[in-house]
Amino acid sequence: MKNMRTAIYPGSFDPVTLGHLDIIRRAAVMFDRLIVAVMHNQNKTPMFTMEERMDFLRRTTAGLSGVEVDSCGGLLADYAARKNACAIVKGLRAVSDFEYEFQMALANRKLNPALDTMFLMTSAENMYLSSSVVKDIAVHGGSIAGFVPDELMEDIVRRTKKGG
C-alpha cells in the first residue's frame, strides 16, 4: 500500500462558512486524506462549542471522500506529526492574511521540517467572507443565506438570537 498523502486544514470554524467549504472541497481532491481540524484557541471565545463546530463540519462534509473532522489543541506542528501529515492547508482571502500565515508556516516548518504549508486563494465570491462577518450579520438580524451552508442556517440563527 502506498503512503497516504495527508493534509490538515486547521481553523476555528466558528461557524463554518461557504468559504471554508470551498477550500475543503478543493483541498480534498489534492490529498488522499484531509483532516479538518477544529483548533482550540485560547485567544478567542467561540460562539459555538467545539462539539457544535465539529458537528457542523461533519454534516457539511459528509459527502466528501477522504475528509475527516477532528479537534486539536496544542501545537499544530506536533498534531501534524502525530497524524503523519505532509501539509497544512490554509485559505487566503487577501494580502492582509498572508503575512501572519507566512509567519505561522515558517514556525511550523521549523518545528516539523517534514511539514509544508499550502496556500489556496479563496474564490472571488468568498473574499469578504469570514466567520466573524457571518456572526455579526446574524446577531443583527440580517440574512446569512449565501454565507453558510443551508443546513446550518437555522442552527446559527437560533444561537445568535439567544445572544451567544
Side-chain angles (χ1 to χ4, degrees), residues 22-164:
D22 175 54
I23 298 295
I24 291 167
R25 284 186 190 104
R26 290 164 50 205
V29 299
M30 296 177 195
F31 297 93
D32 301 308
R33 178 177 171 219
L34 178 68
I35 301 170
V36 181
V38 181
M39 304 297 291
H40 298 277
N41 183 341
Q42 64 266 16
N43 298 324
K44 290 184 178 180
T45 304
M47 178 175 282
F48 297 93
T49 67
M50 176 65 66
E51 294 74 22
E52 287 171 319
R53 291 179 280 154
M54 291 177 68
D55 175 63
F56 288 173
L57 282 161
R58 285 188 181 111
R59 286 164 49 194
T60 57
T61 63
L64 298 177
S65 179
V67 175
E68 301 171 21
V69 176
D70 197 9
S71 64
C72 173
L75 293 174
L76 181 57
D78 292 343
Y79 177 79
R82 288 192 307 272
K83 296 295 185 176
N84 296 315
C86 63
I88 294 170
V89 174
K90 296 298 291 193
L92 296 178
R93 290 179 299 237
V95 174
S96 57
D97 290 343
F98 181 75
E99 187 173 352
Y100 172 78
E101 295 298 351
F102 185 64
Q103 183 180 18
M104 293 307 297
L106 292 174
N108 283 322
R109 185 70 186 259
K110 180 80 171 171
L111 293 168
N112 180 346
L115 190 60
D116 277 311
T117 299
M118 181 177 80
F119 297 107
L120 288 177
M121 300 306 296
T122 189
S123 300
E125 63 269 19
N126 296 320
M127 285 187 68
Y128 62 90
L129 190 52
S130 70
S131 294
S132 298
V133 167
V134 167
K135 287 184 286 193
D136 193 45
I137 291 169
V139 163
H140 291 94
S143 172
I144 56 172
F147 295 88
V148 299
D150 292 343
E151 62 264 39
L152 302 183
M153 280 197 296
E154 189 176 309
D155 296 292
I156 295 166
V157 169
R158 186 179 317 112
R159 173 60 53 85
T160 55
K161 283 185 177 173
K162 289 181 184 174

